[in-house]
Each structure stands twice: as C-alpha cells, then as structure tokens.
Amino acid sequence: MSPPPGASNGHHHHDSHTVASMESGGAAARKRFTWKGPVIVLAFELLESIAFSGVALNLVVYLASVLHGTTAFNAAHVDTWNGTTFIVPVIGAFLADSYWGKYRTILVAIAFYLLGLALLTVSAAVPSLRPATACPMGATCAPATKTQYSVFFAALYLTSVGTGGVKSALLPFGAEQYDGDDADGRPERKQAFFSWFFAAINLGIFIAGTLVSWLQQSVAWALGFGVGAACLLAAALAFVAGTPWYRVQMPAGSPLRDILRVLVAAFRKRRVSLDAAVPLHENDTKADGVGAVGAGQQQQRLARTKGLRCLDKAAAVVKEDDGRDGVAAATSSSAWSLCTVSEVESVKVLVRMLPIWATCVLYAASLGQMTTTFIQQGMAMDTRLGGRFKVPPASLVSAEVVLMLLWVVLHDAAVIPLARRLTGRPGGLTQLQRMGVGRFLVVLALGTAALVERRRLRAAHGGSGPPMSILWQVPQFLLVAGSDVFCGIAQLEFFYGEAPAAMRSICSAFSFLALSLGFYVNSLVVTLVAAVTRRPGWLAPDLNAGHLDYYFWLWTVISVANLLLYVVLAARYTPKQVAVEPMPPHHHRGGGGGSDE
C-alpha cells in the first residue's frame, strides 16, 4: 500500500536539509493543516470503540449462554483474550514506528478487524456454527463442538489483532495532524484533541454497553455483532476517504537498533572521563557517515540534559590508539562506537519515563476496583429507585462513562482556562500535574468507598431500617470519573509528547500495557488477601460477613503510597528538551522544522 500524497518516501539522504525536513515530518508536515483529518480520526475512534466494546463487554455472557462454556473455561478464555488484546498494541506500535508507518499499520489492522467482525457475525447467525439452543445462565448444557469453537475463536483473535493494530497507531496518527509550521505555538489544539479522543473512547463504550448489549441479549447476537461490523466498515471508509488531507510521517528504521547502539557505545567507552576537554558528537552530519543512521535522523534534535552521564559517553568523541607506535587516531566512525547527542537523549527520555510508567500500573490497578469490588458492593445495597424500578449494580459503570464526559467538558471549559490564567502556561496545568491530580482523586474515591462500606456494614449488623441505597455509591464513581479524565488524558499526552519522534507509537502503547499489567496486579492482591485473611476473610461470599471496607482501606494505602512515589518522581523528572538546529550557510531551510511540542 502506498502512503497518501505528500508523505515522505522514507529514503535517507545525509544532508542537513533532509534532516530538517524529516524532523518536521517532511513534505507531509508542510501540508496545510485542516480540521478534516483530526475529525475523521475522532469519528473513527468513536465507531471503533462501539465495535470493540460490543464484543468485549458481553463476551463472557456469549460464551456461557450461546456456546455453553463452563465458568472456569469462560473466565480463562476471556482473560487470555483481554491479555492478547492489550499486548498486540505494543507489537503494532513497533511495526508502525519501525517499518510500516502509522497510516499503513492502521490500514492493515482494519483488514484483520473487518474480517474478524464479519466472521464473528456469521458464527452467531449461521445455525450450524453455534449450538442449537440457548443455555440459561447457571445451567449445565452440552458445550459447542470443536468446529464451532474454532470458528468463534478464529474470529475473536482476528478481531484482537485488528483492534490492537488500530489502538497502537490511531492516537499518535491523529496527534501528528497537528505537527508542522501552522501548529507551532498552539499546544491547546493538540491538548483538546487528546481530550476528545478520550471522550470518543468512552462514548463508544457507553453506546455499546447500552444499545448494542441490549440488541445482543434481547434481539439477536448476530444483529449486535453486525452493528459493530457496520460501525467499523463506516469508520474504515471514512478513514480511507480522508487520505488526501492527512499529514503522514514515514518511519526510518527500527528505533530499538538506535537504543542498542547507545548502550553498546556507552559500555565501550565506560572508562572515558567526561570533562570540558571531551567534545560530544552533535547532530551535524559528517562526510564519513557517522551519526547518519536509522531513526535518529527522523527524531527531533534534542539538547543535552543533566543526569544519566554514563549514557553521555556514547556521544563522546575520544582518541584511540591505532596500534602504530602509540599514534593517536580519531575515534572509529562505526555507528556502534559513536552516537549523536539526540540519540543519547532519546534513550535518556525512555529511561526517565519508565518509573513514571510503573506508577501507571498501580494506578490502573486502583481504577480496576470500579468494575469488580464496587459492583460487588452495589449488589449488597438497596437497588430500588422510586418503588419498583431497580438499578442493576453494574449500570453505575455505564453512568461513570457519562460522568467522565461531563468531567471532560468541565476539564476543557473551566479547569484548563482557569489554570492558564493562574500559571500563564498555554496548556494550563502540565501533563505531570494533571496526572498527579488524577492519582489524588483515586485516593479520595477509594477512601469514600471504604467509608460507605463501613456505614453499610453497621446498618446491616444493626438490623434496623432498610439497607443503604445504591445511590450512596455515586460520589465514589464521580471521583473515579474525574480521576480517569485528569490522568487518562494526561497520560495519553505525556507518553506521546515525551516520546522520541521515532518511538511515538510504542510509547503511546505504554498506557495499554500498564492497563494490562494493572489487571494482573489486581488479581495478585485479591489472591494474597484471600490467603492471608482466610475464611470468611475480607472478601467473603456474603459481604455482610466480611470486611470489604478493610480491602478498600488497603487499596487506599496502596494508592497513597503510589501517589507519594509519583510526586517524588514527577518532581525529579527532566522533560525532553528540543534543540534549535543551526541553519547551514550553504542551504536554504524550507518548510519549518523543529519541535512540534
């Protein structure tokens, strides 16, 4: 597949003009900005979110009621599929950054995605591809045949590969539309895009959790899956139709190779003492080709930062003994012996982001209480509203999506403008500050849940009056929604904005990897608590006999510790610094490169 008109062809010419062009995305970045590209990306994400959530939210129900799987079988396969779905974006991001580019990666992923959803719809619609009768929840029924399972899981994992590929590249591709001359000095445009991208994800989840889920369980599963397939087809057609308006930045080779080069070069020169007399190899291109390799040419030119001096040795220009009577010769021009400052700084950025990312894993585990223990707590409360009407405990998760959309509006309409006036920054609060606010709000949410559970237990043990209303859970869901908006949006911006230019897809996929690991951490904590507290334990089958409030307090303590660790790391974090490349006197620099941040 060829890139859209105006995209770079990916060839590497070792002159300063080409370096400047590639830093700004080449010809693609010089295309005039239009809102059509970002709007199509946002519409794509909304429709894709409906399609994916229409499968994910009801997967365990379909396995139980239609394919007649056992509880253990269903849980194991749902966990395996979820794990695969959130690991694939890391692989897709590597391909997008290294070989295919984001545009091509999305197109390839769409093909897998459509095939998977179409096959899923067929498997639910054709009688021979599913058991003849439905199985009531909780009943024991004859399971599906091997052929029926094979077709279903083939469709399911094709869908997983498709959605993983889209998740890996769509967000950074949409953000790239704001890179270029006419976007410089307007960071609020890109910041608003991240907010609305986040809103599109959650609006899609809400629509799938209400309308699509109702169609699947009340009308026909094939119709529900078919609606998802139709949504993705419409998204694909719109994405292809928008090709003429896109800015596309093509990859320049594997960034992992450049990371290894920096580490190897630094190790080879580990005994070199860095002082004022030791020059560092800057980004100017040499005639012998030193520094003109791989993805380093596509990266922004980065300024040297303090800290991690051991890596600076990779860029040190030193003299080596050539073995002839002790005559000193210039250091080897091998790419594995000498790197540029920008290549070294790219590795520094990754090293500095990793501790911040580790706190994202614990944060994701804290948020995981919303879909597990919060629902269990609601099941033990009075769900009646206005007499006969009952609120399903899980419905507050859907209500949380609505609350998140309200928080997005409040975030963009009030919080950010107020922060701009107070701080004087175009973006208001920094990304790290907003991530800190999100982590603080989740502490309040878990503490609120503990207090509500403590009051519920007292009422249950006292035996006087009706049980507590489920509406007491609204404050904790409201706080979780605010936490997710502040931290979720900021994390998307942070991992994209701080990433080296050649690794933006991979770094953007860090959020999905943190979410995946957060589920595993949650499972580990539950297992340890069950083993330590024994029967009936804090998480007793009958919550009135347990202490779910202690469990919430435990997670509050974990979240406080995570918040304190994050504050220390954020205060010590050194952000990426973009250097201004000097203009060679013999070249006219067109386009306008430099930073897009």
Side-chain angles (χ1 to χ4, degrees):
M1 281 174 265
S2 59
S8 167
N9 61 9
H11 296 305
H12 313 306
H13 304 288
H14 306 313
D15 59 80
S16 57
H17 176 75
T18 302
V19 173
S21 177
M22 292 190 70
E23 285 180 349
S24 62
R30 292 197 296 269
K31 295 176 68 174
R32 184 174 181 81
F33 173 80
T34 171
W35 282 103
K36 294 177 181 178
V39 167
I40 290 174
V41 169
L42 291 175
F44 186 111
E45 180 54 35
L46 172 62
L47 294 171
E48 189 274 334
S49 181
I50 294 173
F52 172 72
S53 301
V55 176
L57 294 180
N58 263 341
L59 180 57
V60 69
V61 178
Y62 186 84
L63 285 169
S65 62
V66 178
L67 298 183
H68 307 170
T70 64
T71 301
F73 176 90
N74 298 342
H77 280 279
V78 169
D79 286 341
T80 301
W81 183 74
N82 277 324
T84 302
T85 299
F86 288 107
I87 290 296
V88 169
V90 179
I91 301 172
F94 173 76
L95 293 174
D97 282 337
S98 304
Y99 303 108
W100 294 348
K102 301 173 187 67
Y103 178 82
R104 292 178 179 176
T105 300
I106 294 170
L107 289 182
V108 172
I110 286 174
F112 282 97
Y113 212 157
L114 284 173
L115 181 59
L117 288 176
L119 186 57
L120 195 63
T121 303
V122 170
S123 72
V126 177
S128 62
L129 295 179
R130 55 179 169 78
T133 58
C135 186
M137 294 297 290
T140 302
C141 305
T145 65
K146 289 184 178 180
T147 300
Q148 292 168 343
Y149 272 130
S150 297
V151 173
F152 174 76
F153 282 118
L156 199 62
Y157 280 94
L158 283 171
T159 302
S160 181
V161 171
T163 188
V166 170
K167 292 179 191 302
S168 69
L170 187 64
L171 172 64
F173 179 78
E176 276 182 2
Q177 306 310 307
Y178 294 89
D179 296 348
D181 300 342
D182 51 358
D184 291 342
R186 297 293 300 275
E188 66 274 9
R189 285 184 174 182
K190 187 181 290 187
Q191 184 172 308
F193 170 79
F194 282 103
S195 296
W196 289 111
F197 191 92
F198 186 78
I201 294 174
N202 288 284
L203 181 58
I205 294 173
F206 177 76
I207 294 173
T210 52
L211 176 60
V212 177
S213 293
W214 178 82
L215 288 174
Q216 289 170 340
Q217 297 187 51
S218 302
V219 182
W221 284 96
L223 178 61
F225 292 144
V227 168
C231 286
L232 187 68
L233 178 61
L237 293 176
F239 182 77
V240 174
T243 296
W245 299 304
Y246 298 144
R247 290 168 164 171
V248 176
Q249 298 179 12
M250 298 301 291
S254 173
L256 298 183
R257 179 177 181 271
D258 287 334
I259 295 174
L260 291 176
R261 286 178 48 244
V262 171
L263 297 178
V264 169
F267 179 77
R268 285 181 173 179
K269 292 182 281 188
R270 61 191 180 277
R271 294 187 177 86
V272 172
S273 178
L274 292 177
D275 52 45
V278 178
L280 297 182
H281 179 51
E282 300 292 345
N283 289 27
D284 52 317
T285 328
K286 305 297 182 183
D288 59 6
V290 175
V293 286
Q297 293 284 10
Q298 191 184 16
Q299 296 173 353
Q300 297 163 315
R301 184 176 182 189
L302 303 180
R304 184 188 179 191
T305 57
K306 296 180 180 179
L308 297 173
R309 285 173 55 84
C310 59
L311 295 178
D312 287 332
K313 296 179 180 182
V317 180
V318 297
K319 299 290 184 178
E320 295 178 348
D321 192 337
D322 67 355
R324 295 177 300 171
D325 300 325
V327 177
T331 188
S332 170
S333 62
S334 167
W336 295 88
S337 299
L338 182 62
C339 304
T340 66
V341 169
S342 283
E343 289 165 345
V344 171
E345 288 300 318
S346 294
V347 177
K348 285 187 180 182
V349 167
L350 294 178
V351 172
R352 288 166 176 154
M353 281 199 301
L354 284 177
I356 298 289
W357 173 80
T359 68
C360 294
V361 175
L362 286 177
Y363 172 73
S366 299
L367 283 186
Q369 307 308 313
M370 178 185 64
T371 56
T372 54
T373 50
F374 279 17
I375 294 177
Q376 291 173 319
Q377 183 186 42
M379 293 172 65
M381 303 177 82
D382 185 2
T383 61
R384 292 174 298 176
L385 289 180
R388 296 182 177 179
F389 179 74
K390 290 187 177 182
V391 178
S395 67
L396 286 184
V397 177
S398 296
E400 195 262 351
V401 174
V402 176
L403 296 175
M404 288 172 65
L405 297 177
L406 296 177
W407 271 100
V408 167
V409 175
L410 178 65
H411 176 272
D412 285 354
V415 176
I416 295 303
L418 177 62
R420 284 183 188 136
R421 288 196 294 270
L422 294 177
T423 65
R425 297 190 188 96
L429 299 175
T430 67
Q431 295 159 358
L432 291 173
Q433 288 171 340
R434 285 152 55 205
M435 289 164 67
V437 171
R439 283 160 171 75
F440 174 72
L441 289 177
V442 83
V443 170
L444 296 183
L446 291 167
T448 301
L451 292 174
V452 168
E453 180 62 14
R454 182 183 178 186
R455 189 180 188 281
R456 190 197 67 78
L457 284 174
R458 285 182 175 178
H461 294 159
S464 58
M468 284 181 61
S469 170
I470 196 173
L471 292 180
W472 280 85
Q473 283 194 309
V474 171
Q476 65 203 53
F477 275 98
L478 179 64
L479 288 168
V480 166
S483 171
D484 207 3
V485 166
F486 272 94
C487 197
I489 297 173
Q491 281 182 184
L492 294 176
E493 295 181 41
F494 176 77
F495 288 120
Y496 174 87
E498 283 296 298
M503 295 190 68
R504 281 176 170 166
S505 294
I506 292 177
C507 292
S508 295
F510 278 6
S511 293
F512 295 109
L513 185 58
L515 180 63
S516 177
L517 295 178
F519 285 125
Y520 291 115
V521 170
N522 223 337
S523 299
L524 176 62
V525 172
V526 168
T527 302
L528 292 176
V529 166
V532 171
T533 60
R534 301 185 180 181
R535 295 185 179 180
W538 292 358
L539 302 174
D542 179 7
L543 290 186
N544 292 338
H547 268 292
L548 185 59
D549 56 335
Y550 291 174
Y551 184 76
F552 285 143
W553 284 126
L554 173 63
W555 268 107
T556 303
V557 171
I558 293 174
S559 299
V560 168
N562 191 49
L563 172 63
L564 294 177
L565 175 61
Y566 172 80
V567 169
V568 173
L569 294 174
R572 297 168 59 89
Y573 183 79
T574 302
K576 179 180 69 177
Q577 298 179 18
V578 180
V580 178
E581 184 177 1
M583 184 184 300
H586 56 282
H587 281 297
H588 172 68
R589 180 167 179 165
S595 169
D596 59 359
E597 300 300 323

